[in-house]
Amino acid sequence: MLQRADTYADLLQDFRWRIPARYNIGTDVCDRHAPGNPLALIHLDHDGAVRRYGFDDLRRWSNRFANVLTAHGLVRGDRIGVLLPQAPETAVAHVTGFRAGLISIPLFVLFGPDALRYRLGNSGAKAVVTDRAGAALIAGIRDALPGLERVYCIDGAGEGAEDFQVLCACASDAFTPVDTAADDPAVMVYTSGTTSRPKGVLHAHRTIWGRRPMHDFWLGLREDDVVLHAGTMNWTYTLGVGIQDPWARGATTVLYNGKRDPALWPALIARHRATLFAAVPSLYRQILKYADLSAHDLSSLRHGITAGEALSPRLLAEWQAATGTPLYEALGMSEISTYVSTSPRTPIKPGSPGKPQPGRRVAILPPEGAPEPLPPGEIGLLAIHRSDPALMLGYWNRPEEEAAVMRGEWFAGGDLASLDAEGYVWFEGRNDDIMNAFGYRVSPNEVESVLIAHPDVQEVAVTELPVRDGVRVIAAFVVPKQGAEPARDALLAWCGERLAAYKCPREVVFLETLPRTPNGKVQRKRLAAA
């Protein structure tokens, strides 16, 4: 685990870093707001049902489940998997884990048996909260998980699972949260594992405190906000921005568990008077394409939030023109969440994800050699100081990979970027995404930013394409705008007028859609197969 030699002393000049020595996320996001039971959660089910919960409702519900877990022998530091769709029980299970001193693990409902077996086995999870579909899947792999002692099912018992609702209904709603230290582990998120085995990224209770700069300098979050997030809660973007951040401020969150139709989101914004809407850029693009924005009253929406992939200047301009509201972008990763952003307080520079949030210590480091920060304008590894309270504790049982991202006093996770004279970050892609063209290093983001500006291009992703043994070329995978039929040679000429010759694609492949993760991020490594 990451050994911390400092005590955040250099960050204490900013009030946000005055972290109490004893701190529990579950207490922070529920108990402070419980008096009066103000509205915390609106849940919209696939069948149209709407359920509402106040902060005190969630506090008492999580207390009951905490009593169940402790009665079943789970103790501080044990791991508990959360394999659920967008349900109130998903949020309750995570809050319960925090209050009971456990380590909660978000799991995705579309995982197959191999992915689920690896994560539960690697983490040594002693319990899982799931539904009938998840319970059936776990039953098929349980022999390979000798450490898994309990499976709780939110929609009835069976398949070796116990009835979550019955157990909670019989338990006391009085529970004293575990007295955790700010540095005690609270949640473990597994990376996507596109290049190697997924890594368990372990975060402490202090992580939610370390998110406070985001509240003011990305989200513009207020106590009276209603936040609608389009992602799924196995993702840190959704779990943080959709649940933990609003509840830390006493705001209301809206969870939707229905059909993923882009045209539905404006209706949900209007119906529930959402003031903030969070999604990946590709969903904003799909909303503009498929939804009739004029049919909905979006006057409650103050602004949109975006992360997960780069926001193109054209999409930003189109959204602002269509809705009259800005999109505030952020850059982050599983290990640190978002720490660079624009906001109502940080002016937008189209093409840049923004500035480091106040209180963050950010630098650009050379990819090789001594970790000495580079001057403005030079491209290198985007790094954040290891004293940041939002930084992970470390990678679960992966000391070599953990050591590889620690560069002296800095954490450098592999993003390439530069800083301009005003302190804005310019993202250049992932270090492991960088292409090699005739001996030159080329960022796919730079090529994509040129192609997305073409009037006939709806979406684009760029990567290397093997054409024969030992030979790879830059290829552009293009989704044309509806009704457009761009010619390959015209797109290549467009690039030739705007890029150095060695950066230009040599191939153009037209697709109906780009391969994406369930949360909307482009999967470049699947493009060659497409």
Side-chain angles (χ1 to χ4, degrees):
M1 212 54 64
L2 174 62
Q3 299 299 312
R4 303 175 58 83
D6 54 73
T7 59
Y8 318 139
D10 51 346
L11 298 177
L12 286 177
Q13 297 178 31
D14 190 298
F15 75 94
R16 294 172 187 82
W17 296 155
R18 297 185 184 277
I19 305 172
R22 315 302 300 180
Y23 176 72
N24 184 290
I25 298 176
T27 301
D28 190 27
V29 301
C30 274
D31 293 23
R32 288 192 301 117
H33 313 298
N37 201 30
L39 184 62
L41 174 64
I42 303 171
H43 180 258
L44 317 173
D45 215 339
H46 57 85
D47 59 2
V50 179
R51 291 185 282 172
R52 291 177 170 84
Y53 302 89
F55 282 100
D56 195 49
D57 298 327
L58 297 172
R59 182 189 66 84
R60 289 185 288 106
W61 194 0
S62 61
N63 279 350
R64 290 195 293 269
F65 189 38
N67 280 316
V68 170
L69 294 176
T70 54
H72 288 172
L74 271 76
V75 298
R76 181 179 188 150
D78 284 343
R79 277 74 66 201
I80 179 170
V82 182
L83 180 65
L84 287 171
Q86 305 285 81
E89 290 86 353
T90 317
V92 167
H94 285 296
V95 171
T96 299
F98 303 147
R99 295 174 74 80
L102 309 175
I103 301 172
S104 69
I105 304 169
L107 299 167
F108 190 34
V109 293
L110 294 185
F111 279 156
D114 291 342
L116 191 58
R117 182 191 300 112
Y118 173 77
R119 287 160 175 81
L120 293 175
N122 178 260
S123 65
K126 291 184 69 174
V128 176
V129 187
T130 188
D131 57 10
R132 284 185 178 273
L137 184 60
I138 291 170
I141 60 174
R142 197 152 182 180
D143 288 347
L145 301 170
L148 184 62
E149 298 177 0
R150 299 273 181 171
V151 177
Y152 302 99
C153 186
I154 67 170
D155 48 3
E159 296 281 358
E162 301 171 81
D163 193 315
F164 171 91
Q165 308 293 358
V166 170
L167 290 170
C168 287
C170 297
S172 168
D173 63 7
F175 179 82
T176 301
V178 172
D179 181 25
T180 51
D183 280 335
D184 284 349
V187 63
M188 184 156 63
V189 180
Y190 276 85
T191 60
S192 60
T194 56
T195 57
S196 65
R197 293 177 302 145
K199 296 186 291 288
V201 181
L202 188 63
H203 281 283
H205 283 266
R206 58 172 160 76
T207 299
I208 191 67
W209 196 283
R211 297 176 65 91
R212 289 188 173 199
M214 295 165 47
H215 299 171
D216 293 325
F217 296 97
W218 177 29
L219 308 178
L221 188 59
R222 305 189 314 216
E223 185 176 342
D224 60 348
D225 273 325
V226 177
V227 181
L228 172 63
H229 202 302
T232 56
M233 275 199 289
N234 65 294
W235 195 16
T236 53
Y237 179 18
T238 313
L239 185 60
V241 172
I243 294 291
Q244 293 173 339
D245 294 325
W247 290 358
R249 276 282 169 101
T252 303
T253 192
V254 180
L255 285 182
Y256 171 66
N257 187 36
K259 184 180 178 183
R260 296 280 146 172
D261 180 352
L264 288 174
W265 295 107
L268 295 177
I269 292 170
R271 186 180 310 149
H272 298 283
R273 308 303 295 159
T275 56
L276 305 182
F277 176 62
V280 294
S282 59
L283 182 57
Y284 285 103
R285 188 178 295 111
Q286 290 167 356
I287 291 172
L288 291 174
K289 182 177 180 179
Y290 297 112
D292 181 5
L293 292 173
S294 64
H296 305 285
D297 177 9
L298 303 182
S299 60
S300 65
L301 187 65
R302 200 162 66 249
H303 52 258
I305 300 299
T306 180
E309 59 188 25
L311 173 66
S312 73
R314 190 177 81 182
L315 176 57
L316 171 65
E318 289 176 348
W319 179 266
Q320 289 178 316
T323 66
T325 60
L327 292 178
Y328 293 121
E329 185 180 4
L331 177 65
M333 62 189 74
S334 300
E335 292 87 343
I336 182 66
S337 193
T338 52
Y339 56 101
V340 170
S341 59
T342 55
S343 75
R345 301 186 181 191
T346 310
I348 296 171
K349 259 193 181 182
S352 167
K355 290 183 176 183
Q357 295 154 0
R360 311 288 192 194
R361 295 179 60 186
V362 172
I364 305 296
L365 304 181
E368 306 291 341
E372 296 296 329
L374 296 171
E378 292 200 28
I379 297 174
L381 290 172
L382 182 61
I384 190 160
H385 201 267
R386 290 169 62 176
S387 59
D388 195 296
L391 185 62
M392 67 173 183
L393 288 167
Y395 294 132
W396 182 260
N397 296 333
R398 303 282 275 273
E400 297 84 3
E401 290 168 83
E402 184 178 315
V405 296
M406 302 304 172
R407 303 277 305 278
E409 296 182 336
W410 302 95
F411 164 82
D415 286 336
L416 289 172
S418 63
L419 289 169
D420 66 18
E422 295 180 274
Y424 281 82
V425 171
W426 295 89
F427 183 56
E428 301 291 342
R430 293 283 301 172
N431 194 33
D432 51 11
D433 280 339
I434 290 298
M435 304 174 293
N436 190 304
F438 304 106
Y440 295 96
R441 289 163 61 85
V442 180
S443 166
N445 294 75
E446 183 180 4
V447 185
E448 289 167 0
S449 67
V450 168
L451 278 165
I452 197 65
H454 191 283
D456 291 338
V457 174
Q458 178 69 29
E459 295 183 288
V460 62
V462 172
T463 190
E464 287 182 305
L465 184 68
V467 292
R468 59 181 183 272
D469 287 347
V471 178
R472 304 172 70 86
V473 299
I474 296 176
F477 294 79
V478 172
V479 178
K481 280 195 171 181
Q482 190 169 13
E485 296 182 0
R488 170 186 180 276
D489 290 346
L491 293 180
L492 294 178
W494 175 274
C495 292
E497 294 169 1
R498 294 163 174 81
L499 291 168
Y502 72 89
K503 296 181 179 180
C504 290
R506 295 298 188 268
E507 296 289 344
V508 176
V509 180
F510 293 104
L511 300 174
E512 292 185 2
T513 59
L514 296 177
R516 295 182 180 274
T517 69
N519 283 314
K521 297 178 72 172
V522 173
Q523 295 176 303
R524 283 198 181 93
K525 297 185 184 303
R526 289 179 53 197
L527 288 171

